[in-house]
Amino acid sequence: MRILLFGTGDYYRKYRDWFRREDILGLVDNDENKRGTLVDGYKVYLPQEAVQLSFDCVVILSVHEEGMRRQLLELGVPDDTIYIFSELYKHPELIMPERAVCLWGGDRLLSGILSGGHAGAVLLMSHNLDLNGAALAMFYLARILAKNGFSVFFASWTDGALRQYLYEENIPVVIDPNLQMRTQREVKWTHRFRRIICNTLNYYLFLADRSPENQTIWWLHDPVMFYRSLDQELLHRIKPENLAVYAVSPIAEGAFKTYFPDFEVRQLVYGIPDVPLQKKIHYKMELIVIGNVQEYKGQDILVRALEMLDDEILSRIHVKVVGFRSTAYADGVKRSAEKLGDVISFIPPVDREGVHRLLDESDVLICPSRVDTMSIVTNEGMQHGLPCIVSDAAGVSAYIKNGENGFIVRRGDASALAERIAWCVEHRKDLEQIGKASRMVYEQYFTMEVFEKNVLKVIREVL
């Protein structure tokens, strides 16, 4: 089998290990800067070059699959040789068979998962152990359950930095790559659990065929754009019996309701632990944006806004964009920002301690997202007493009173964002009171105490 993988970003990293190395003919990317380079030892081709090779199929590994499919068709690639990531479960000939399961248990024996019963335990399922908002929210939920006497197990497709956090809490972890490509009925060890909480839309395949006796909660954090590239027939196999659906915000609920109008959906907003604050004062105003540099996060909108500011305002600010990893979009944003010089800095992803240190060093947090169901870093900004400028497409905007405890700008409106940044610079003394009001939003809605109360209510009602 000679396979071309179209995409070298997040979805490539998510699915690459399912393919046999000897089957991968090369990688395909529209980024001229990646042409001829090696990624994981595979050569990267532009699409027009790749289609000249002798291949059996192209697998699209990107959320932008519609446009990429059109591009391949226009280049003469037969439609029946083009697959997308959400179809891989249908094509066992393309991927490796069942993969090994890893168990991590601290001082607790995990081998019983595969042979004994854990009907009384709660199985929490995340698609990764990265330090992203959704995975962290699930970790905080696990801590609440463990604190309240529940036996808790944590499962993930892939390993990551969050495993160390779970180890320190003495919460056992199962790393099972098969969760990404198999239904619940097919992943036999999960049958030992009668109470399951699945985190994010990523578990739609797992839930498409599940044991009816399981009591399951599906906790959704996902915007509507993530539903569009999924296998719709498979998505609608999910049945409501013994399935309670919760969303972190009205935006996440609305996305789900677009595809499942008859399902009942309730709200469950996460909480985040409080931290000691060590505020630092700067001559220049420090603005910060935190999150993977991706199109839906809108960092390009921020750069356009900065370009609209006059030199006098620019001389009084410094902007940190935290979460930079090289992708076609991220590299383009960085190139666009070059004319701003040292006004803007791009920083790779940092751990949680790094996030809090950077927030202590900041004066204003910006969330310019085109869509963001409930940004955990914005809530952390409120926790640190920062005035937050958010787009009206961000779920947290529901908690903001414009000009009182934060600021709301129209989604995608770079001019409105520029005006708000300039106002903050010119009214710096007023930001202290707005920051205090921002902190009160955190205390009212996003503390661990509020989250614990809500989680235990859900557990009593559902599980």
Side-chain angles (χ1 to χ4, degrees):
M1 184 68 70
R2 295 161 299 176
I3 302 172
L4 290 169
L5 303 182
F6 194 172
T8 59
D10 290 340
Y11 278 75
Y12 164 74
R13 287 185 288 271
K14 188 185 291 188
Y15 287 92
R16 63 187 172 189
D17 292 334
W18 276 101
F19 300 94
R20 291 173 284 269
R21 287 194 66 89
E22 61 270 20
D23 287 349
I24 300 176
L25 185 62
L27 308 183
V28 188
D29 201 289
N30 281 304
D31 187 352
E32 280 273 2
N33 294 313
K34 293 184 178 178
R35 179 186 184 187
T37 63
L38 294 179
V39 174
D40 297 329
Y42 307 119
K43 186 175 180 180
V44 180
Y45 300 88
L46 294 175
Q48 57 268 33
E49 297 172 330
V51 299
Q52 303 303 315
L53 303 174
S54 178
F55 61 90
D56 296 306
C57 66
V58 183
V59 179
I60 297 174
L61 302 179
S62 171
V63 72
H64 303 294
E65 59 92 9
E66 289 184 9
M68 294 162 81
R69 180 185 288 275
R70 285 197 302 270
Q71 183 180 13
L72 291 171
L73 293 172
E74 291 168 1
L75 289 169
V77 179
D79 187 58
D80 61 359
T81 64
I82 303 173
Y83 305 109
I84 62 173
F85 63 90
S86 63
E87 301 172 332
L88 287 173
Y89 76 98
K90 298 179 180 177
H91 299 282
E93 73 279 7
L94 298 182
I95 59 177
M96 291 174 26
E98 188 167 305
R99 293 165 60 190
V101 179
C102 296
L103 309 174
W104 305 87
D107 60 1
R108 294 170 64 182
L109 187 63
L110 275 176
S111 60
I113 282 185
L114 303 179
S115 57
H118 289 285
V122 182
L123 176 62
L124 307 183
M125 310 187 76
S126 176
H127 69 287
N128 63 36
L129 295 182
D130 296 342
L131 299 179
N132 57 68
L136 281 168
M138 196 66 153
F139 166 66
Y140 298 142
L141 191 154
R143 287 204 335 193
I144 287 171
L145 294 182
K147 171 189 171 186
N148 283 275
F150 289 88
S151 177
V152 178
F153 290 81
F154 207 99
S156 173
W157 303 352
T158 58
D159 202 356
L162 190 61
R163 177 161 58 82
Q164 180 61 30
Y165 290 56
L166 290 157
Y167 175 81
E168 291 170 0
E169 297 290 333
N170 199 27
I171 296 173
V173 179
V174 184
I175 309 295
D176 187 355
N178 304 292
L179 295 171
Q180 186 178 16
M181 291 288 187
R182 305 285 185 260
T183 67
Q184 198 261 335
R185 285 189 188 273
E186 294 172 312
V187 185
K188 302 298 185 185
W189 66 262
T190 64
H191 300 182
R192 305 293 181 184
F193 296 87
R194 293 293 176 263
R195 301 187 290 182
I196 297 175
I197 304 178
C198 293
N199 200 31
T200 79
L201 181 62
N202 288 283
Y203 272 95
Y204 85 106
L205 170 57
F206 181 83
L207 294 173
D209 185 18
R210 68 186 196 279
S211 302
E213 63 270 20
N214 289 117
Q215 296 172 297
T216 303
I217 290 173
W218 196 9
W219 195 21
L220 294 166
H221 307 247
D222 316 271
V224 72
M225 62 179 285
F226 288 166
Y227 289 76
R228 295 171 187 149
S229 57
L230 302 183
D231 184 319
Q232 298 302 307
E233 185 273 329
L234 184 67
L235 186 65
H236 284 94
R237 285 189 206 168
I238 298 172
K239 305 302 180 187
E241 290 76 23
N242 275 345
L243 179 65
V245 180
Y246 284 82
V248 294
S249 70
I251 293 175
E253 177 183 349
F256 183 79
K257 283 283 196 177
T258 300
Y259 291 83
F260 294 94
D262 298 328
F263 270 66
E264 180 183 3
V265 182
R266 287 169 280 187
Q267 299 289 309
L268 178 60
V269 180
Y270 55 73
I272 51 178
D274 207 355
V275 294
L277 306 183
Q278 300 177 355
K279 207 67 186 163
K280 298 180 180 178
I281 305 301
H282 307 276
Y283 169 68
K284 287 190 175 184
M285 177 175 286
E286 290 287 339
L287 310 176
I288 191 165
V289 180
I290 303 177
N292 290 336
V293 182
Q294 296 173 291
E295 186 174 4
Y296 79 93
K297 293 288 189 180
Q299 288 92 348
D300 61 302
I301 300 168
L302 170 66
V303 171
R304 293 206 310 273
L306 295 174
E307 291 171 344
M308 296 176 182
L309 296 173
D310 62 42
D311 290 342
E312 195 274 332
I313 293 293
L314 286 176
S315 70
R316 295 161 66 184
I317 65 173
H318 178 247
V319 182
K320 293 188 182 80
V321 175
V322 183
F324 180 84
R325 251 183 344 201
S326 181
T327 64
Y329 171 78
D331 293 342
V333 169
K334 192 173 184 180
R335 285 194 298 273
S336 297
E338 288 176 355
K339 62 179 72 70
L340 294 167
D342 59 6
V343 169
I344 186 168
S345 301
F346 289 85
I347 299 170
V350 297
D351 60 16
R352 301 320 298 168
E353 290 75 15
V355 166
H356 290 297
R357 175 180 53 78
L358 290 168
L359 289 171
D360 275 336
E361 296 171 357
S362 301
D363 299 297
V364 176
L365 182 139
I366 301 176
C367 175
S369 297
R370 291 179 168 88
V371 61
D372 205 328
T373 56
M374 186 60 73
S375 165
I376 202 166
V377 295
T378 304
N379 302 133
E380 288 173 331
M382 291 175 167
Q383 177 188 65
H384 282 256
L386 298 184
C388 298
I389 306 174
V390 307
S391 82
D392 59 9
V396 73
S397 64
Y399 299 86
I400 291 178
K401 295 180 180 179
N402 207 8
E404 294 183 25
N405 56 16
F407 307 98
I408 303 171
V409 296
R410 291 184 300 276
R411 169 176 42 192
D413 191 337
S415 177
L417 179 56
E419 290 176 9
R420 185 53 64 193
I421 292 172
W423 187 94
C424 289
V425 173
E426 293 168 347
H427 298 81
R428 192 165 182 175
K429 290 183 179 179
D430 297 327
L431 294 183
E432 182 177 356
Q433 189 58 40
I434 295 172
K436 289 179 179 177
S438 177
R439 167 73 189 189
M440 290 178 66
V441 174
Y442 162 73
E443 292 177 357
Q444 185 172 356
Y445 297 105
F446 299 106
T447 64
M448 288 296 288
E449 290 76 19
V450 172
F451 188 35
E452 180 172 0
K453 178 182 176 182
N454 293 334
V455 166
L456 296 179
K457 181 174 184 289
V458 168
I459 295 300
R460 283 194 301 270
E461 292 177 351
V462 180
L463 300 185

